Amino acid sequence: MAYYRNFNAPPPDPKVLARLTEQQRQMQERIILQKPDFDLKLIAGCDSSFIGEDTILSAFILLSYPELEVVEKVWHHGPVELPYIPGFLAFREAPNLLKAYEKLQQKPDLIMVDGHGISHPRRLGIATHLGLHLNKPTMGVAKKVLVGKYTEPAATKGAVSPLIYKDEVIANVLRTKDKVKPVFVSPGHLMDLESATEIAMACAIKHKLPEPTRLADHYAAVFKKLV
């Protein structure tokens, strides 16, 4: 997930922080991590990109699985109401992503998000947010770590090491190509870490990023030129 951060912005309103923190607490209680119960035929990738400080564009790319052929592409852009607050980025991105999702004619069995699932200080990355809002299996594939410690996996494709935070494995650090930086794969909602890792690896054909999030990132940039 790309985000716009205004370093000159005033500190967040304590009342807003308290409200968002309480929302996160309530959402935490609803997270379900489990082996997914689906016949995976359609997988969606999604990503968002900010246009200046006040506008966000979100894209969903629907692919067949396991062929990974593009079935559908949709996008939505609109204003952002919440300022950037570290640890609460999902509240800023989720509303527009949900509007883009509504435009899909076919709905995916699984959503792969360019961002984090439970590998977040409060277990509520954007993948978990979307899963809870949509009651849909979700997983995150992030380029950078937010929280936790890990040992660098071996340099060969398919190598994995655990990302650990507070004595819990919250993600797998996955090498999707030989000698490239790994990605951080985490379950979002209605998903388990083992399944998420297997699917991320199956979708990493030629590039570092799995095809659903790679294409979502690509088309988000393409669609920005149309705004």
Side-chain angles (χ1 to χ4, degrees):
M1 289 286 176
Y3 61 88
Y4 182 96
R5 180 176 181 181
N6 181 358
F7 288 93
N8 296 316
D13 185 335
K15 292 182 180 179
V16 172
L17 274 180
R19 174 174 58 83
L20 296 180
T21 301
E22 175 59 19
Q23 282 184 248
Q24 284 188 332
R25 187 194 65 76
Q26 294 176 8
M27 293 175 77
Q28 282 176 350
E29 297 175 356
R30 296 168 46 212
I31 299 170
I32 298 172
L33 302 182
Q34 64 181 28
K35 191 171 182 63
D37 181 21
F38 56 44
D39 182 14
L40 183 54
K41 298 294 185 183
L42 292 173
I43 183 169
C46 66
D47 191 17
S48 292
S49 181
F50 284 88
I51 306 169
E53 185 178 353
D54 300 319
T55 303
I56 182 173
L57 184 145
S58 303
F60 267 87
I61 311 302
L62 189 67
L63 306 174
S64 62
Y65 187 90
E67 301 84 3
L68 300 177
E69 296 175 351
V70 176
V71 175
E72 202 175 335
K73 304 187 293 283
V74 298
W75 60 284
H76 184 84
H77 80 284
V80 180
E81 297 183 3
L82 190 71
Y84 171 78
I85 305 173
F88 298 91
L89 181 62
F91 287 102
R92 186 168 160 83
E93 297 182 342
N96 199 70
L97 276 163
L98 292 170
K99 290 177 181 176
Y101 179 85
E102 290 172 3
K103 295 183 177 181
L104 285 171
Q105 296 300 306
Q106 301 178 74
K107 302 305 183 186
D109 302 303
L110 168 67
I111 301 171
M112 182 185 292
V113 184
D114 184 347
H116 291 272
I118 65 164
S119 52
H120 174 278
R122 288 174 292 279
R123 299 171 66 85
L124 279 162
I126 185 64
T128 306
H129 266 250
L130 287 182
L132 290 169
H133 279 294
L134 296 170
N135 194 33
K136 178 78 66 174
T138 57
M139 56 179 283
V141 178
K143 305 178 192 76
K144 296 180 180 180
V145 67
L146 271 184
V147 68
K149 295 181 179 181
Y150 65 95
T151 301
E152 193 76 14
T156 52
K157 179 176 179 176
V160 176
S161 66
L163 177 65
I164 300 172
Y165 180 61
K166 294 183 177 179
D167 298 322
E168 179 189 10
V169 177
I170 57 172
N172 273 334
V173 186
L174 175 65
R175 191 87 64 185
T176 53
K177 284 189 69 177
D178 290 349
K179 299 178 182 179
V180 299
K181 291 182 178 181
V183 295
F184 301 87
V185 180
S186 60
H189 180 56
L190 299 175
M191 174 61 66
D192 67 314
L193 179 56
E194 181 182 2
S195 300
T197 305
E198 290 175 357
I199 292 168
M201 196 67 242
C203 291
I205 303 173
K206 297 179 180 178
H207 306 275
K208 169 184 171 177
L209 296 180
E211 287 300 283
T213 51
R214 186 187 74 83
L215 290 172
D217 179 77
H218 167 75
Y219 281 107
V222 171
F223 296 143
K224 274 178 73 172
K225 297 177 182 178
L226 304 177
V227 176

